[in-house]
Amino acid sequence: MTFTPENIFFLGAVLIFASIVISKWGYRFGIPTLLLFLFTGMLFGSDGLGLEFHSHEDAQLIGMLSLSVILFSGGMDTKFRDIQPVVAQGLVLSTLGVLVTTAITGMLIFYLSEWTNLAIGLTLPMSMLLAATVSSTDSASVFNLLRSQGIGLKHNLRPTLELESGSNDPMAFVLTIALVDMIVSAGEFSGMELASKIVGQLAVGGLRGAVPIIFATYPVIAGIEDAHFLFNVVFVITLLSLSIQGTTITACARWLGLATEEPKEGNEFGVELPEELGSRLSEMIVTDETLTGGNHLADMHFPRGTLVMMIKRGNSIIVPNGQLELKKGDILLTIAQQETE
């Protein structure tokens, strides 16, 4: 198919519509959305409907722009007060944890390549590069699945994983670029040289985010031998991870005793207040016991400084006054000054 502006807009509209449909379907049945997206791309690709697209450079650019938006959105959704108690653990996992994971996985790949009958044929630098490309994690898929099932995690695991997965991409990116540079320059594989390249990349690279498939495009663009083999391996690893881990994470969380009910976010009224105001919103459901002292709002005894902003009755929102007659099942939205410690 020849790509023209008209075809691009049409195909873009079709893909967006398909993405909306499959994301809703995946959310309902607990299937990772990214897995469905990958299958959608394969369906529309050269082995499916015949769309030819072979530019790794364009794919990398589009992927990095998309990941920048995803990371920005994730950062805006993360509250500092939630991650503050686990900053040390999260940073250790996102730096030292990535290094240890890369080293162990790389040595295992090299062992399988050199000392078994498997026809892998990867050198130690290429084995380390393969390990580095798959060393980052994606919390968005994990928590999307957990939220779809209404499951949370105990022991501060959620903020720890959010911090670790949001900050481990720079380390994985640095390792990937440093290893690519070393392989391209055909230099000796020394720990000191790798360390110097890592420090240099951290100094100038800044905070970037990526996922294994995007990382795997760097060796291909650099023209490294066996880079296409590495890309295919990373793609298969991603598919297997999403298929196996993504569909069993809820059951594993329950089996390990780490699952808990997802805490309710927001309120029935959709009203939020900036934290800087120093006020908090609360909800109260009217029961028979609540009405024992009288059925008017003025008969209610609220703590000093508490004000009833709105009342939800069925699908209606009421702005109350003191003479409003309350009914069982009414939901009251109150505002009060935040208690200072």
Side-chain angles (χ1 to χ4, degrees), residues 7-308:
N7 290 340
I8 292 174
F9 278 110
F10 174 74
L11 291 174
V14 172
L15 288 174
I16 290 175
F17 176 77
S19 300
I20 294 173
V21 172
I22 64 177
S23 63
K24 293 293 184 182
W25 186 80
Y27 185 87
R28 179 178 180 183
F29 294 98
I31 300 175
T33 305
L34 178 57
L35 179 63
L36 299 177
F37 284 168
L38 288 175
F39 283 139
T40 302
M42 295 167 65
L43 175 63
F44 281 86
S46 57
D47 295 328
L49 299 181
L51 296 182
E52 298 289 341
F53 184 79
H54 300 292
S55 175
H56 290 87
E57 292 84 357
D58 292 341
Q60 183 185 101
L61 175 61
I62 296 171
M64 292 301 290
L65 291 175
S66 302
L67 287 166
S68 298
V69 174
I70 292 172
L71 287 177
F72 178 80
S73 175
M76 294 295 290
D77 292 338
T78 301
K79 297 179 180 179
F80 180 73
R81 68 169 182 267
D82 294 334
I83 65 174
Q84 188 175 11
V86 294
V87 167
Q89 300 94 310
L91 292 180
V92 169
L93 288 172
S94 64
T95 53
L96 184 60
V98 172
L99 287 171
V100 172
T101 299
T102 300
I104 294 176
T105 306
M107 293 302 297
L108 178 60
I109 295 171
F110 182 66
Y111 170 78
L112 293 175
S113 178
E114 290 293 318
W115 294 300
T116 65
N117 294 326
L118 298 177
I120 300 176
L122 293 180
T123 63
L124 181 58
M126 284 296 293
S127 299
M128 289 296 177
L129 179 58
L130 175 56
T133 58
V134 296
S135 61
S136 63
T137 56
D138 181 16
S139 66
S141 298
V142 174
F143 293 115
N144 179 57
L145 290 171
L146 293 175
R147 290 191 187 104
S148 68
Q149 304 296 322
I151 293 176
L153 295 175
K154 300 177 181 178
H155 312 305
N156 275 338
L157 282 179
R158 176 169 175 168
T160 302
L161 290 177
E162 284 183 340
L163 175 60
E164 184 274 337
S165 59
S167 56
N168 70 0
D169 284 344
M171 179 58 71
F173 176 83
V174 165
L175 286 173
T176 301
I177 298 301
L179 288 166
V180 167
D181 289 344
M182 290 185 59
I183 295 172
V184 169
S185 61
E188 292 295 327
F189 186 75
S190 66
M192 184 60 67
E193 184 178 358
L194 178 59
S196 64
K197 287 183 177 292
I198 290 175
V199 173
Q201 289 289 340
L202 283 174
V204 301
L207 291 179
R208 300 190 184 181
V211 290
I213 293 177
I214 301 299
F215 284 164
T217 62
Y218 284 92
V220 176
I221 294 174
I224 295 176
E225 186 180 359
D226 294 329
H228 286 87
F229 170 74
L230 186 146
F231 183 90
N232 293 335
V233 171
V234 171
F235 191 83
V236 171
I237 290 175
T238 302
L239 287 178
L240 290 176
S241 175
L242 290 170
S243 302
I244 299 174
Q245 295 174 307
T247 55
T248 59
I249 186 170
T250 301
C252 287
R254 290 196 177 101
W255 180 66
L256 294 172
L258 299 175
T260 183
E261 292 296 326
E262 180 77 356
K264 180 182 177 182
E265 297 183 358
N267 52 65
E268 294 285 344
F269 301 81
V271 177
E272 295 184 2
L273 292 178
E275 296 181 8
E276 293 78 10
L277 293 181
S279 301
R280 60 182 176 87
L281 297 176
S282 305
E283 289 183 1
M284 173 183 173
I285 301 178
V286 176
T287 62
D288 291 330
E289 295 180 358
T290 308
L291 300 175
T292 53
N295 61 350
H296 291 87
L297 187 59
D299 299 324
M300 305 287 293
H301 298 286
F302 294 100
R304 184 178 180 85
T306 300
L307 176 68
V308 178

